[in-house]
């Protein structure tokens, strides 16, 4: 779960990391009053679960409350990396003397948390990483001992030759580790970690990605979830007993069992197609579940064909067939061409139910995947 900047800054603040004292707003009018409260100049910042807002025009300085209003008007509703801007952070603006980078994530190869830091922070850190990787310093972190103060100081002095600034940065790094560990993050990032004209060091931007597998340990964090449209769909699916993940392809998949769902996506890919989703309808396939699953697939306008792949074990093919017929009768919208592969327990019965309804079921998975790819291709051309 990704947090937006205003949420991440709040958590950073709780861990003692210096952050500007800003106000989150949702309208231009509120941005104006926030600017009056904070005292100008302010910086008006788009809140989306993505970086690169500065370059996209989503971060604007405002010298007066009226300017803050105008900046907010122009940023609200903007599309940044396919996120629509619905919230803004109004922060007191500061004079920046230097922009640095600090982040902590998990190094999967080393199976350790790692801190990364650079004196070349700011909006071009990806370019630094790609072109001059030697400008990024790494510090492995022993997860049991945590980041040690001498390790933080070593890195901080590589960034700031000045002792006072280096110690301030080292203290922020220690708190950043406490935060990473405390909230069970998979990523925490400060970019820029800014040196101000008065020599102080503060976090001007904040990014936190929380590990969903640890959310049960932090129930209050669930309240911070700001689901994106595709996450809303996934949560809705979950409440109906389906596990659904939207992808970018054009073949909708409906499968019973997570393993078979993965195998179905693999075979589609292998044969040159692209799955539009992962969808596991689970063991028991009541008509309601199948109807809901079908609605999910149909609501994705990228879907050009649907491949239903069922292996009857505990799930009986006749139940799935009955559910499917009910779903097709209920859903009135245009349904993309379907391919059904049905095999296993009670398959003869299932196939008969479907053929009474005018649907031919296949028994072979590869054949089914190939047919779905063909139909998606035809759909794409028309
Ligand atoms: P990002 O582009 O999504 O990473 O958004 P950031 O929060 O990092 O903001 C982008 C850039 O805006 C920063 O690198 C700064 O150069 C600039 N910026 C942000 N806040 C301030 C501020 O208070 N004063 C000034 N002068 N610049 C700021
Ligand atoms: Mn940034």
């Amino acid at each position: 779960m990704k947090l937006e900047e205003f949420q991440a800054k709040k958590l950073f603040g709780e861990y003692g990391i210096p952050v500007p004292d800003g106000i989150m707003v949702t309208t231009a009018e509120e941005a104006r009053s926030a600017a009056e409260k904070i005292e100008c100049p302010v910086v008006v910042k788009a809140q989306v679960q993505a970086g690169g807002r500065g370059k996209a025009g989503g971060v604007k300085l405002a010298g007066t409350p009226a300017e803050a209003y105008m900046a907010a008007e122009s940023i609200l509703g903007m599309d940044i990396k396919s996120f629509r801007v619905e919230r803004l952070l109004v922060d007191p603006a500061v004079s920046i003397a230097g922009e640095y980078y600090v982040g902590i994530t998990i190094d999967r190869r080393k199976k350790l948390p790692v801190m990364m830091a650079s004196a070349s922070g700011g909006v071009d850190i990806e370019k630094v990483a790609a072109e001059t990787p030697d400008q990024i310093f790494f510090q492995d972190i022993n997860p049991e001992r945590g980041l040690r103060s001498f390790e933080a100081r070593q890195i901080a002095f590589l960034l700031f030759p000045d002792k006072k600034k280096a110690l301030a940065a080292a203290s922020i790094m220690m708190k950043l580790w406490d935060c990473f560990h405390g909230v069970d993050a998979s990523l925490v990032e400060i970019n820029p970690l800014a040196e101000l004209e008065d020599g102080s060091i503060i976090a001007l931007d904040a990014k936190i990605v929380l590990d969903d597998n640890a959310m049960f340990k932090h129930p209050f964090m669930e309240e911070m979830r700001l689901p994106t449209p595709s996450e809303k769909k996934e949560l809705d699916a979950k409440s109906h007993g389906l596990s659904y993940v939207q992808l970018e392809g054009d073949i909708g998949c409906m499968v019973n069992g997570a393993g078979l769902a993965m195998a179905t996506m693999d075979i589609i890919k292998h044969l040159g197609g692209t799955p539009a989703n992962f969808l596991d309808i689970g063991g028991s396939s009541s008509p309601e579940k199948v109807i809901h699953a079908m609605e999910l697939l149909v609501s994705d306008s990228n879907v050009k064909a649907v491949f239903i792949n069922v292996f009857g074990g505990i799930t009986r093919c006749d139940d799935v067939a009955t559910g499917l017929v009910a779903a097709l009768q209920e859903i009135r919208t245009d349904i993309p061409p379907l391919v059904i592969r049905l095999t296993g327990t009670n398959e003869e019965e299932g196939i008969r139910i479907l053929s009474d309804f005018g649907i031919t079921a296949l028994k072979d998975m590869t054949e089914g995947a190939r047919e779905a790819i063909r139909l998606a291709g035809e759909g794409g051309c028309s």
Side-chain angles (χ1 to χ4, degrees):
M1 166 176 160
K2 287 184 185 167
L3 298 185
E4 288 183 2
E5 179 191 9
F6 77 98
Q7 299 173 309
K9 277 185 169 161
K10 185 163 175 286
L11 285 180
F12 279 3
E14 287 169 15
Y15 280 88
I17 297 170
V19 287
D21 195 10
I23 300 173
M24 191 275 281
V25 300
T26 56
T27 64
E29 198 45 62
E30 285 173 7
R32 189 211 311 265
S33 6
E36 278 161 4
K37 212 176 283 173
I38 290 170
E39 271 187 36
C40 285
V42 292
V43 47
V44 180
K45 309 179 76 174
Q47 298 299 288
V48 285
Q49 292 169 25
R53 296 162 303 160
K55 286 195 172 164
V59 177
K60 288 201 163 79
L61 278 167
T64 62
E67 273 178 41
Y69 182 94
M70 285 186 326
E73 277 240 295
S74 73
I75 299 174
L76 281 168
M78 220 181 221
D79 187 87
I80 299 179
K81 298 193 178 155
S82 57
F83 289 98
R84 206 184 123 82
V85 182
E86 290 171 359
R87 283 168 295 278
L88 302 167
L89 178 63
V90 182
D91 260 356
V94 291
S95 314
I96 303 173
E99 300 198 356
Y100 300 77
Y101 171 93
V102 189
I104 301 175
T105 187
I106 303 285
D107 184 330
R108 287 174 175 264
R109 214 169 289 162
K110 288 187 178 161
K111 302 176 184 166
L112 283 178
V114 60
M115 182 171 76
M116 302 156 289
S118 176
S120 312
V123 295
D124 281 323
I125 190 71
E126 282 81 13
K127 205 169 144 207
V128 174
E131 290 173 13
T132 45
D134 55 312
Q135 286 181 22
I136 300 179
F137 308 114
F138 295 90
Q139 174 64 54
D140 291 348
I141 301 174
N142 179 314
E144 284 172 8
R145 285 199 304 257
L147 179 67
R148 321 208 75 190
S149 51
F150 76 89
E151 293 169 335
R153 285 198 301 274
Q154 261 173 0
I155 297 284
F157 273 103
L158 292 171
L159 267 52
F160 300 92
D162 176 83
K163 184 177 167 196
K164 202 166 153 244
K165 289 173 194 164
L167 293 181
S171 154
I172 291 176
M173 290 171 186
M174 297 296 288
K175 290 166 181 161
L176 190 64
W177 162 257
D178 287 343
C179 176
F180 177 85
H181 187 249
V183 303
D184 288 299
S186 55
L187 174 74
V188 290
E189 202 175 75
I190 306 176
N191 186 31
L193 174 71
E195 177 189 342
L196 306 187
E197 298 289 358
D198 67 5
S200 60
I201 314 281
I202 76 164
L204 268 200
D205 189 8
K207 180 169 177 183
I208 297 183
V209 182
L210 297 170
D211 181 349
D212 280 324
N213 296 312
M215 290 296 276
F216 72 97
K217 289 161 71 180
H218 314 282
F220 75 95
M221 286 187 189
E222 196 53 50
E223 291 162 22
M224 304 212 297
R225 193 181 286 279
L226 299 166
T228 58
S230 73
E231 281 171 341
K232 273 188 196 140
K233 259 174 106 171
E234 292 173 16
L235 290 171
D236 176 53
K238 204 170 163 189
S239 72
H240 286 85
L242 305 165
S243 53
Y244 173 80
V245 180
Q246 186 164 341
L247 304 166
E248 274 149 18
D250 56 9
I251 300 175
C253 304
M254 190 195 301
V255 187
N256 70 320
L260 186 59
M262 297 298 282
T264 305
M265 290 160 59
D266 280 354
I267 195 136
I268 291 173
K269 272 270 182 199
H270 179 71
L271 296 172
T274 50
N277 64 281
F278 169 96
L279 173 57
D280 173 11
I281 59 171
S284 76
S285 340
S286 63
E288 294 76 48
K289 246 175 154 181
V290 178
I291 290 171
H292 202 80
M294 216 43 220
E295 279 170 350
L296 268 175
L297 296 184
V298 172
S299 71
D300 178 355
S301 59
N302 288 332
V303 170
K304 301 273 187 309
V306 172
F307 181 26
I308 299 172
N309 187 11
V310 172
F311 185 86
I314 296 170
T315 309
R316 290 165 34 186
C317 291
D318 53 328
D319 279 351
V320 175
T322 309
L324 199 62
V325 168
L328 295 176
Q329 282 169 331
E330 178 156 328
I331 299 174
R332 305 244 170 262
T333 46
D334 279 346
I335 293 177
L338 295 177
V339 181
I340 302 171
R341 179 261 189 163
L342 206 56
T343 190
T345 310
N346 290 5
E347 63 179 44
E348 298 307 335
E349 183 64 4
I351 289 170
R352 195 188 53 73
I353 293 168
L354 289 175
S355 73
D356 285 352
F357 193 67
I359 298 173
T360 311
L362 305 171
K363 282 193 185 182
D364 184 80
M365 173 159 158
T366 312
E367 202 186 322
R370 200 170 275 131
E371 180 63 6
I373 293 168
R374 190 185 68 76
L375 290 170
E378 280 184 358
C381 297
S382 65

